[in-house]
Amino acid sequence: MQPKPLDEAELAALGVATITGIPDAVVYCDARGHIRFWNRGAERIFGYSAAEALGQSLDIIIPERLRKRHWNGYFNMMKTGKSRHDADEMLSVPATTRSGATISVQFSVAPLKDENGAIEGIISILRDETETYNELRRLRKIESQHM
Amino acid sequence: MQPKPLDEAELAALGVATITGIPDAVVYCDARGHIRFWNRGAERIFGYSAAEALGQSLDIIIPERLRKRHWNGYFNMMKTGKSRHDADEMLSVPATTRSGATISVQFSVAPLKDENGAIEGIISILRDETETYNELRRLRKIESQHM
């Protein structure tokens, strides 16, 4: 027998516990691309405190050469609700930390919609995968030298 | 100037949109280890529909040989609020899908607490990293043959 499904309040509590408690970076940007939510995972991965990040453009973590491409994709998703990528796809990109280091992040996105279904902003969950990225690059170099 | 922080209702809406809309698997298990939330990402990655997964033990996706270790860690975290691992650590483990395939998942965890701070269950965000896992294994084999 199935237990009863979570009610609205339980689902809300679960959602809040997830975005505030999970070690992944959870970042929410509004229609203009300004940061409105920045959890502890985002503080740890990118080095900016929530107080520093809130209200800033997401440009604070986007390398300059990638900004145009990022915002084209961002505003396209704001307009259409759809990413240019497969909705289930994890995307990997370089990102810049507060200290100026370049890291590699793997991220997924979801829209936040208002009660009429209009998109208010975009949520992202990001993981630092710099180690894996560097290890793959190191190994592929070895492969290319020997194959 | 900073925009005003999200209020309680906005934070709840953001949390719900995240756990229901994100392509990552989001899974919540109660104190007994029974599945109480299973999003579309979990349906896609593990092959079980929410209707099939809800109420089941998480054993449906844990390979038999890893179950003892999993539940030791699980009930320890239920009791102490802490994982045996660094709280910020992403963990990688094999998992079993509905079709019987073994995949590799990278996951993070967070506790869900009641208003008194007691832990009610554990939330996890999981990504399928089978491709990366297999690619690293293939490349390390090449490395071991040539170094």
Side-chain angles (χ1 to χ4, degrees), chain A residues 42-63:
Chain A
E43 292 186 323
R44 178 178 56 84
I45 292 173
F46 299 109
Y48 292 96
S49 68
E52 289 171 327
L54 294 175
Q56 301 284 324
S57 161
L58 196 63
D59 278 343
I60 61 171
I61 63 163
I62 305 174

Side-chain angles (χ1 to χ4, degrees), chain B residues 41-52:
Chain B
E43 291 185 324
R44 178 178 57 84
I45 292 173
F46 299 109
Y48 293 96
S49 68
E52 289 171 326

Side-chain angles (χ1 to χ4, degrees), chain B residues 18-49:
Chain B
T18 304
I19 65 176
T20 58
I22 209 82
D24 305 68
V26 180
V27 175
Y28 170 64
C29 291
D30 63 19
R32 294 183 306 167
H34 290 191
I35 298 164
R36 299 297 308 279
F37 181 76
W38 187 261
N39 76 347
R40 287 183 306 130
E43 291 185 324
R44 178 178 57 84
I45 292 173
F46 299 109
Y48 293 96
S49 68

Side-chain angles (χ1 to χ4, degrees), chain B:
Chain B
M1 202 187 67
Q2 287 204 4
K4 68 176 176 26
L6 302 183
D7 65 26
E8 204 175 316
E10 289 170 324
L11 192 65
L14 185 63
V16 172
T18 304
I19 65 176
T20 58
I22 209 82
D24 305 68
V26 180
V27 175
Y28 170 64
C29 291
D30 63 19
R32 294 183 306 167
H34 290 191
I35 298 164
R36 299 297 308 279
F37 181 76
W38 187 261
N39 76 347
R40 287 183 306 130
E43 291 185 324
R44 178 178 57 84
I45 292 173
F46 299 109
Y48 293 96
S49 68
E52 289 171 326
L54 293 175
Q56 300 284 325
S57 162
L58 195 65
D59 278 343
I60 62 172
I61 62 163
I62 306 174
E64 203 167 334
R65 71 179 191 288
L66 299 179
R67 287 177 190 168
K68 192 174 168 211
R69 196 196 312 173
H70 169 81
W71 293 114
N72 282 344
Y74 191 91
F75 293 117
N76 186 61
M77 187 171 173
M78 281 298 305
K79 205 164 58 180
T80 65
K82 288 184 183 149
S83 159
R84 283 169 302 179
H85 307 277
D86 181 331
D88 295 333
E89 203 180 337
M90 299 290 146
L91 302 168
S92 290
V93 290
T96 308
T97 70
R98 189 179 194 279
S99 69
T102 299
I103 61 173
S104 178
V105 294
Q106 188 193 55
F107 72 100
S108 59
V109 292
L112 176 69
K113 295 178 180 174
D114 68 19
E115 55 275 20
N116 302 314
I119 301 173
E120 294 187 299
I122 297 173
I123 306 154
S124 185
I125 298 183
L126 309 98
R127 289 183 174 173
D128 182 351
E129 57 163 16
T130 309
E131 263 184 53
T132 304
Y133 180 86
N134 288 342
E135 177 70 349
L136 281 169
R137 199 166 57 168
R138 182 184 75 77
L139 289 165
R140 284 184 181 138
K141 198 169 160 189
I142 292 170
E143 181 189 32
S144 71
Q145 287 164 346
H146 290 282
M147 300 307 271

Side-chain angles (χ1 to χ4, degrees), chain A residues 95-125:
Chain A
T96 307
T97 69
R98 190 177 193 281
S99 70
T102 298
I103 61 172
S104 177
V105 294
Q106 188 193 55
F107 72 100
S108 59
V109 293
L112 176 69
K113 295 179 180 172
D114 68 17
E115 54 276 18
N116 303 314
I119 301 172
E120 295 187 296
I122 298 174
I123 306 153
S124 184
I125 298 183

